[in-house]
Amino acid sequence: MKIHEYQAKKIFSDYAIPVPAGAVAHSPEEAEKIARELPGPPWVVKAQIHAGGRGKGGGVRVTDTVEGVAETAKAMLGMTLVTPQTGPQGKAVRKVLVEEGLSIRKEYYIGVTVDRGGQCPVMIASAEGGMEIETLAATQPEKIIREAIDVGVGFCGFQARNLAFRLGLDPTMIRAATALFSRLYNVFESLDCSMVEVNPLVTTQDGRILALDAKIDLDDNALYRHKDLVALDDPDEKDALERRAGKYRLNYIRLDGDVGIMVNGAGLAMATMDLIQQAGARPANFLDVGGGATTEMVTKGFEIILADPNVRGILINIFGGILRCDVLANGVVEAARHVDIGVPVVVRLDGTNVEEGRRILATSGLEFLVADSMADAAEKVRGLKAD
Amino acid sequence: MSILIDKNSRLLVQGITGKEGSFHTRQCVAYGTNVVAGVTPGKGGQNLDGIPVFDTVRKAVDQTGADTSLIFVPSAFAADAILEAAASGIAVVVCITEGIPVNDMLRVVPYLKKHGCRLIGPNCPGVISPGQCKAGIMPGPIHRPGPIGVVSRSGTLTYEVVHQLTESGLGQSTCVGIGGDPIIGSSFVDILELFAEDSDTSGVVLIGEIGGSDEEKASAYIQEHFPKPVLGFVAGLTAPPGKRMGHAGAIISGGSGTAKDKIAAMRAGGVHVVERLGDLGKEAKALFES
């Protein structure tokens, strides 16, 4: 689960990680009021969306008057911000963070994430702050410093010092920096984060070190132990159909093509998306109904696929294991009776109870294009495109 | 022969009295697997179709000589169940459970190494050595005994592949689902090392997907050390970056973990890559029977 910068900074404050003074605003008036109570000028107004690269899209602005704060907030609130990470459709701005401006001496990068290959958490730092760490890793890997963490002993003092000294921090700042790094790991570990990132971490002319930005991604699978963090979820940041699918425990991701898919299993669903592309069409969604799907889940899945106006055809690809083909077939027939489908549906069933599933489809009185293999399904999708 | 499990395996099921646990235990037994015990804390003394249920893994191992464990315990308790199996002397643990927190798995993995215990999964369909033993949730009847090893990060995609192999007349020595999570007990390389040593495996089908770099590592290993032909497939060519595609580990982040890169790495490592899933059976036959 992603959370906003202002929410991450509140968590940082709770863990004694220094951040600029500031607060979130939902209106220009509120933004101006916040600025009046903060040290300044200058002030910084930052759009709060779940995507990075905001500076490049005009989502971070500095101003020298409180009226300027109000005007900037007015311009940002309601705008659709397009950044390198939002995709061309952009994201609507509903909140802004108003902060004190700082006299920055130098910018750094510091983050904690999971090293999948090394099977351990890793703290990553760089003296090249502000740059995207992935870009840096690709172009100048020698500028990235890493400390692998042994979860048995935790993040050690010497590791914090290794990072601080290698970053070339001023000797007077080492103590504050190492404390900050240790606290970052505390956040990562205590809250079951999949990533904690500060980009940039800054030193200021007046000798402070602060998290100028804050990004926290939480492990969805661990949210059951952090009930208080669940409230930080912002449903406005999700696609409306993805939100609806979530209610029925359906794993749906909206894409920009025109052939909808319903599949059991994530790997097979990805392979089915690829098959659609190879057949000359484009997938409209990813939908994994899971191994234990019920008739109701299949019906809801159908409704959600059809709620996307771009969908011109549907491919259902089920390899029956735990989810039996007859259960799926009943769900499809049930859905077809309740929903006005209006687009051609290719159904490919195989595996457990396949004969019964195919018989249910054939005798339903409904028109399905039944495919008997993956290769045949691809051919029938190609046919949809030609129609 | 086969890898990981065979007709001599003595299977224990942790979470045997739950809905999933009891259903799949019966499926494993019907396949011919020797299920010797089950564990559900608080239900010791009961039985499932005559299979004795114990409160702890230690007691189950002491009394039945179980050497392999299959786990259906809910995600909040699954990491503990894996640790319990390892601490009780189980050699191979297969964890089906989906949704275990990453932080839990980061603690589990080093503990297992210390105890010399091999973990398959979590978030996987399990392991089957066709005709001998099934420790998982895959449909048994699609498999046939034979010389092809299968290793995959996926569930139903693996069934699809196995089905095509069987239809093409290619049976399987062992099929291993290593799991779709970011932190798993056994990697592609771990399983390939076992297939390399298995005299009954003459070739391997490796099914990858987006996210992480396990396919790249496997490709490098294959090029340097693996003596048998390998057929590869990677799912997710059309997956958008930054979106988790169902599996917790299936995500392209910061431009790394793409299907395109993995396919290129496989080809560089000498793997025969199948691009169209529908052609897999046909291409496998051409590769393995040449």
Side-chain angles (χ1 to χ4, degrees), chain A residues 302-324:
Chain A
F302 236 119
E303 289 173 5
I304 288 162
I305 292 173
L306 288 164
D308 176 351
N310 295 330
V311 169
R312 296 191 309 110
I314 297 176
L315 170 58
I316 298 177
N317 188 15
I318 300 292
F319 202 99
I322 316 172
L323 171 59
R324 303 190 321 255

Side-chain angles (χ1 to χ4, degrees), chain A residues 8-39:
Chain A
K9 281 183 169 166
K10 168 71 172 59
I11 291 171
F12 279 10
S13 292
D14 294 345
Y15 280 77
I17 295 165
V19 296
V24 69
H26 302 80
S27 69
E29 299 73 32
E30 202 181 348
E32 184 177 332
K33 187 165 169 282
I34 290 164
R36 284 187 191 282
E37 288 162 13
L38 290 175

Side-chain angles (χ1 to χ4, degrees), chain B residues 226-289:
Chain B
F226 198 69
K228 303 171 184 181
V230 180
L231 185 87
F233 178 80
V234 181
L237 270 170
T238 49
K243 298 264 189 185
R244 229 167 264 286
M245 306 305 283
H247 290 156
I251 182 165
I252 298 168
S253 49
S256 74
T258 66
K260 205 167 141 249
D261 289 352
K262 289 174 188 294
I263 288 170
M266 280 186 179
R267 289 211 165 111
V271 175
H272 177 95
V273 178
V274 175
E275 286 191 359
R276 291 167 191 271
L277 183 56
D279 298 340
L280 191 137
K282 202 172 62 192
E283 292 191 34
K285 200 172 170 63
L287 177 71
F288 295 127
E289 292 187 350

Side-chain angles (χ1 to χ4, degrees), chain A residues 3-300:
Chain A
I3 64 173
H4 286 295
E5 176 194 6
Y6 76 93
Q7 296 167 325
K9 281 183 169 166
K10 168 71 172 59
I11 291 171
F12 279 10
S13 292
D14 294 345
Y15 280 77
I17 295 165
V19 296
V24 69
H26 302 80
S27 69
E29 299 73 32
E30 202 181 348
E32 184 177 332
K33 187 165 169 282
I34 290 164
R36 284 187 191 282
E37 288 162 13
L38 290 175
W43 294 278
V44 186
V45 183
K46 303 177 83 176
Q48 298 296 287
I49 56 166
H50 286 182
R54 291 168 300 170
K56 295 181 188 99
V60 180
R61 290 184 205 162
V62 181
T63 172
D64 281 324
T65 64
V66 286
E67 294 78 18
V69 170
E71 279 164 32
T72 308
K74 192 175 175 192
M76 261 186 213
L77 289 163
M79 82 183 272
T80 300
L81 188 59
V82 179
T83 84
Q85 292 181 26
T86 58
Q89 75 284 6
K91 276 188 177 265
V93 180
R94 294 179 173 86
K95 301 169 230 202
V96 294
L97 174 62
V98 183
E99 286 186 336
E100 62 171 326
L102 302 169
S103 302
I104 293 163
R105 202 160 118 198
K106 184 158 169 44
E107 299 190 345
Y108 303 85
Y109 172 95
I110 185 93
V112 194
T113 188
V114 174
D115 176 353
R116 288 172 66 160
Q119 302 197 306
C120 64
V122 60
M123 194 168 291
I124 300 169
S126 175
E128 306 289 316
M131 266 183 84
E132 236 187 282
I133 197 71
E134 291 90 358
T135 314
L136 195 63
T139 56
Q140 297 169 281
E142 72 285 357
K143 295 203 167 154
I144 293 178
I145 312 164
R146 301 161 61 89
E147 282 288 337
I149 298 161
D150 179 330
V151 289
V153 289
F155 181 67
C156 302
F158 77 87
Q159 295 186 295
R161 291 193 299 277
N162 280 349
L163 292 171
F165 283 107
R166 284 188 61 194
L167 284 175
L169 286 164
D170 190 277
T172 60
M173 287 197 186
I174 296 294
R175 193 178 289 267
T178 53
L180 190 152
F181 300 164
S182 299
R183 288 165 187 161
L184 271 187
Y185 182 69
N186 287 346
V187 171
F188 178 85
E189 194 198 22
S190 320
L191 304 184
D192 287 300
C193 301
S194 39
M195 184 182 62
V196 177
E197 187 180 74
V198 181
N199 192 17
L201 171 79
V202 298
T203 52
T204 61
Q205 299 294 354
D206 58 0
R208 290 186 290 158
I209 183 162
L210 307 91
L212 195 64
D213 195 7
K215 185 175 173 190
I216 294 179
D217 287 353
L218 300 161
D219 180 355
D220 294 343
N221 291 334
L223 280 174
Y224 72 91
R225 358 186 223 236
H226 306 285
K227 299 275 192 273
D228 52 325
L229 297 178
V230 176
L232 301 182
D233 185 34
D234 183 351
D236 287 334
E237 290 287 325
K238 288 200 194 87
D239 177 87
L241 288 177
E242 291 181 11
R243 212 159 61 216
R244 199 166 128 195
K247 281 188 205 151
Y248 303 106
R249 293 184 299 117
L250 291 167
N251 211 328
Y252 170 92
I253 295 165
R254 191 170 181 176
L255 304 169
D256 56 6
D258 53 11
V259 177
I261 65 160
M262 174 150 48
V263 187
N264 65 327
L268 190 59
M270 278 186 270
T272 304
M273 283 163 49
D274 297 349
L275 174 143
I276 286 170
Q277 174 135 316
Q278 286 161 349
R282 283 164 52 115
N285 66 276
F286 167 96
L287 173 57
D288 170 14
V289 293
T294 58
T295 301
E296 196 211 355
M297 284 168 79
V298 171
T299 310
K300 294 295 172 196

